[in-house]
Amino acid sequence: MRIVCIGGGPAGLYFGLLMKKLHPEHRVTVVERNKPYDTFGWGVVFSDATMEAMNAWDPESARDIQDAFNHWDDIEVLFKGTRQRTSGHGFVGIGRKRLLNILQKRCEDLGVELVFETNVENDLDYADADLIIASDGVNSFIRNRYADVFQPDLVVRPNRYIWLGTNKLYDAFTFDFRKTEHGWFQAHIYKFDDQTSTFIVETTEEAYEAHGLGRLDQQGSIDFCQTLFAEVLEGAPLMTNARHLRGSAWLNFNRLICGKWSHFNGHSHVVLMGDAAHTAHFAIGSGTKLAIDDAIELTRQFRNLGHGKENIPAVLEAYEEVRRVDVARIQNAARNAMEWFEVVGRRYADTLEPEQFMYSMLTRSQRISHENLRLRDRTWLEGYERWFARRTGLDVADDVRALPPMFTPYTVRGVTLPNRIVVSPMAMYSAKDGLIDDFHLTHLGARALGGAGLVFAEMTCVSPDARITPGCLGLWNEEQAAGWRRLVDFVHGCSAAKVGIQIGHAGRKGATKRAWDGIDQPLDGDPATEEGGWPLFSASALPYLPQSRVPKAMDRADMDRVKADFVRAAELAATTGADWLELHVAHGYLLSSFLSPLTNRREDEYGGSHENRARYPLEVFAAVRAVWPADRPISVRLSCHDWFEGGNTPDDAAIFAQFFRQAGADLIDCSSGQVVKEEKPVYGRLFQTPFSDKIRNEIHIPTIAVGAISEADHANSIIAAGRADLCAVARPHLADAAWSLHEAAKIGVTTIPWPQQYRSAKYQYESNLARAAGTSS
């Protein structure tokens, strides 16, 4: 084949040398706009996995790269007058120029043609090529020529950064956070050869503008950074190798995702590689890794499917299919880390103590978890666990392993939970006339015995016409309250768990069949009978599904009646001895329907602005708070993202959370979605935790995190980092009533008490785990 790589960065050079090595008959050319053995940039970071792959594919260049590598294990953070260090992180760095020089030399040795000082803007200049690799960077001319095919999604991120260097050598990957009168700046610092360290300075657009950095030349920017980071520089000067850039050389990061990676231009197959196809923020240092991995995978597919021209379409299809998965994984982690640095000033730096700030930073990408930190640096993590436990009031000796964060107590108002795990409200559809029966007693009692700190029943409806289905729990009469008293007394008598009641009104999502009979499907028959449904209310007269009943848009009389229903339910709940009340203002139910512009089309004082849309839910909350005992907490469940264009976003949810905080809410239970059926949620591990993180650390109200939290490692990571105060677990608790006790055993915590009736099982369960792990004879 005739192969032309446009762009002589790591992707183009490495693919060129691999293909020439595997199949010397190929004619391979790499075209680069810079001069021979010349490049810009400082150091780049590799992963151990990528280095192993390079050793397997081309040991010769890998050996030279490893000889030039600098390796370090430690991360050091300078923050608020402290220096904190943790080990076991295993980074390797190399100068970008040195890396490219090694790859250029290897290409020459293998017979790859290198063409320098040639700026290619048109792939048709190489019409004789069978395959063109567009590896010409984030501003790729080739990709932009076929933008309608490649569908690039390029987003300019808000922070500013400047890429500098210094001759001071650092023995750890160092982060330095400094506050100025206009905001926070942070430096990312790492050594990449025996003379030089990379020194990236980042800040917000607001701080950049307020300091007038855009009006400075490069030397002015360097002088500013030298003064700001004088402590960590210890007299060493900063320097730039970007004199070719105009102005101050402060940049914005461009996040790139492409819808398609290959195209036939009529003469040649064109495929994107490296930064031309995707970008990953420098916060996790994976840009070069992705480029090298692209080159390896495309080469692998040619090796597997054949090096003939006729195989190119199949090769490119397989290459894109495989790489999309890994690129998405890395980009998601990079996005998390990038966003952490973008909001670090307003969300974390001013409020978190240095110890928790350090933990939050280490876990910013969500790729590093609590137990992963234990593997990396057990001493540091167990010291942090002791610090966290002591903050909750526990007395922990220096030589004793503290309880992990999820098992520490949590106090709000007059209620102390024994741990941070909440059994999330989950609809069971098993009540008759709204009454708790033996099923609910067994179901919820088992989960209290199973070690959770707070046990919620499903949404408990405030009137017969507030139910989702005829099988929903209710709390509108004394008989129902008596059932609740039986449940509360049982839980309090047999466990340390507390009991929560979540009150709500289904609104336009009411009068439907039980889930197993047809979820969200309207009841059939006579609306005058229970099984035939009942009239519905909502903020506006919009049905949930096309076949759903059309709800009545509530008038003032309806609002007053429903508010009175909520008050009566709260008063009855107070008589049950329940410890906690939650107001359901999420998932498209009645109160939620007022908050979302997708379901609220009102033109009166209850529609339009955030204040107007929140007016009625806040009226209900205030009335409920007034009758609920002052020494018991109330949380509010919010849908923090509607997952549909025109709906509420996390920024809107933060506004609503602020309103409820000011009204006296104790916590925000941060869920999302289920407001409209057309929603398009983006699922994933801990996918709703960022909503909790934002509200807790920007609005300064405690939160409950929910959604895809399925193991102790997740809960400990969330709570330890301050992304939430409590973790609500749903499906895992359905699958395992003793989830909390079992998760404690799995992470080696044997001090959590089991019910005395089950203690023999506790010892056997722990022994079996130890035997399976090979830690017991």
Side-chain angles (χ1 to χ4, degrees), residues 712-728:
D713 205 17
H714 297 163
N716 280 320
S717 299
I718 292 167
I719 294 163
R723 297 185 175 102
D725 299 272
L726 303 173
C727 287

Side-chain angles (χ1 to χ4, degrees), residues 17-26 57 299-300 302-303 307:
L17 73 85
L18 289 183
M19 288 294 284
K20 190 68 174 177
K21 177 181 178 179
L22 281 184
H23 206 77
E25 292 82 2
H26 293 322
W57 282 88
T299 306
R300 187 197 321 275
F302 274 112
R303 186 188 65 183
H307 281 258

Side-chain angles (χ1 to χ4, degrees), residues 463-498:
S463 62
D465 62 353
R467 291 173 297 167
I468 309 167
T469 77
C472 291
L473 285 180
L475 191 51
W476 61 80
N477 62 42
E478 176 56 35
E479 186 181 5
Q480 294 161 344
W484 269 102
R485 290 187 196 102
R486 180 179 177 226
L487 172 65
V488 171
D489 288 346
F490 177 79
V491 170
H492 286 170
C494 73
S495 75
K498 304 301 182 184

Side-chain angles (χ1 to χ4, degrees), residues 140 151 195 500 507:
S140 169
Q151 304 163 37
Q195 297 180 344

